[in-house]
């Protein structure tokens, strides 16, 4: 498959695919998972002509191997564990609890940082599109999806530019709809499908959310 140039390019590809599925406007809302999902979500919201907000999720890194997710936590106190990783590595409950407590503090800090006083977007009764820059194990997206359900959305659509085939298939059973633009196999990591996968910074997230709040994504983009 052709690689995405960067998250902007990936967001445009995802946005066009979602517009075919959902149309644009109406009572749609894009919730992006920070940090890497925000530039993707900004382009999706711009193409659909709908609001953008963040939905806070923090990965629980495996002790000694922080890039490997043993689970994730999300706004609302939802914790999702990757049972196979926890079991295979014999991770004790105390280590999981310590990681969850640490990441919960960081989740609150970042939520204040990113929102800059803006209240969370209304979710109840809306079709919500949860966006990230890709799906590997799906731990963070799964935590976000389960936490979001507590807020009463009418539908939840999971949207990513690229994902592991088996993970995208799993979300077909959990979300109301799933759009994975590319599902390459074999799949090793999200970043391998981007020419530029530079880490998104806090300042970039704040800037994009501020631009979205001022309506820069409010007009649907012509095909």
């Amino acid at each position: 498959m052709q690689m995405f140039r960067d998250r902007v390019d990936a967001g445009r590809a995802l946005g066009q695919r979602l517009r075919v599925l959902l149309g644009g406007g109406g009572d749609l809302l894009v919730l992006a998972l920070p940090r890497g999902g925000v530039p993707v979500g900004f382009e999706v919201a711009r193409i659909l002509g709908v609001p953008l907000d963040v939905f806070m999720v923090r990965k629980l890194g495996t002790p000694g191997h922080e890039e490997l997710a043993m689970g994730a936590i999300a706004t609302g106190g939802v914790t999702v564990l990757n049972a196979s990783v926890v079991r295979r590595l014999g991770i004790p409950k105390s280590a999981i609890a310590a990681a969850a407590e640490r990441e919960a503090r960081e989740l609150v800090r970042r939520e204040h940082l990113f929102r800059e006083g803006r209240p969370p977007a209304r979710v109840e009764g809306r079709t919500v599109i949860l966006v990230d820059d890709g799906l590997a194990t799906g731990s963070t997206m799964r935590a976000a999806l389960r936490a979001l359900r507590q807020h009463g959305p009418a539908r939840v659509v999971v949207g990513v530019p690229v994902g592991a085939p088996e993970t995208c298939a799993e979300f077909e059973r959990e979300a109301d709809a799933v759009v994975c633009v590319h599902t390459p196999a074999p799949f090793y990591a999200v970043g391998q499908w981007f020419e530029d996968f530079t880490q998104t910074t806090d300042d970039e997230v704040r800037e994009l959310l501020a631009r979205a709040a001022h309506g820069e994504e409010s007009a649907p983009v012509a095909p």
Side-chain angles (χ1 to χ4, degrees):
M1 62 161 258
Q2 184 177 355
M3 296 175 68
F4 297 111
R5 290 191 302 275
D6 52 21
R7 290 182 179 87
V8 172
D9 182 41
R12 289 171 181 167
L14 176 60
Q16 296 294 352
R17 186 71 65 87
L18 284 163
R19 182 159 60 177
V20 171
L21 176 67
L22 300 171
D27 209 12
L28 295 175
L29 171 67
V30 174
L31 291 182
L33 307 190
R35 289 180 294 195
V38 174
V40 179
F42 182 85
E43 294 301 321
V44 170
R46 189 177 64 87
I47 286 170
L48 298 180
V50 302
L52 169 71
D53 201 356
V54 288
F55 197 79
M56 299 302 300
V57 183
R58 292 290 295 171
K59 180 176 70 176
L60 301 180
T62 302
H65 304 277
E66 298 299 325
E67 288 304 309
L68 176 63
M70 63 177 177
I73 62 169
T75 297
V78 172
T79 301
V80 175
L81 293 180
N82 188 330
S84 63
V85 170
V86 171
R87 185 170 54 250
R88 186 172 76 248
L89 298 180
I91 302 169
K93 291 182 179 180
S94 59
I96 296 171
E101 182 179 353
R102 181 176 62 251
E103 294 301 337
R105 290 195 299 268
E106 180 63 10
L107 186 150
V108 171
R109 185 192 74 81
R110 289 199 184 191
E111 187 146 28
H112 287 304
L113 176 70
F114 294 155
R115 291 195 185 284
E116 298 185 315
R118 293 183 296 270
R122 176 182 59 83
V123 167
E124 186 176 2
R126 304 176 86 167
T127 294
V128 178
I129 308 167
L130 273 176
V131 173
D132 205 354
D133 54 13
L135 283 177
T137 66
S139 294
T140 52
M141 181 64 80
R142 192 165 287 110
L145 176 60
R146 293 178 184 178
L148 183 61
R149 292 286 195 198
Q150 298 181 357
H151 297 278
R155 297 178 69 207
V156 180
V157 179
V158 169
V160 293
V162 62
E166 62 275 12
T167 306
C168 290
E170 288 169 4
F171 275 97
E172 294 280 0
R173 297 188 291 272
E174 296 197 42
D176 297 294
V178 178
V179 175
C180 296
V181 178
H182 294 303
T183 52
F187 184 96
Y188 299 110
V190 171
Q192 75 179 117
W193 305 105
F194 290 76
E195 293 175 13
D196 179 0
F197 200 61
T198 305
Q199 188 176 61
T200 305
T201 67
D202 286 349
D203 285 344
E204 288 171 323
V205 171
R206 292 169 66 190
E207 178 190 355
L208 288 171
L209 292 175
R211 288 171 60 187
H214 285 89
E216 291 193 27
E217 90 292 18
S218 59
V221 175

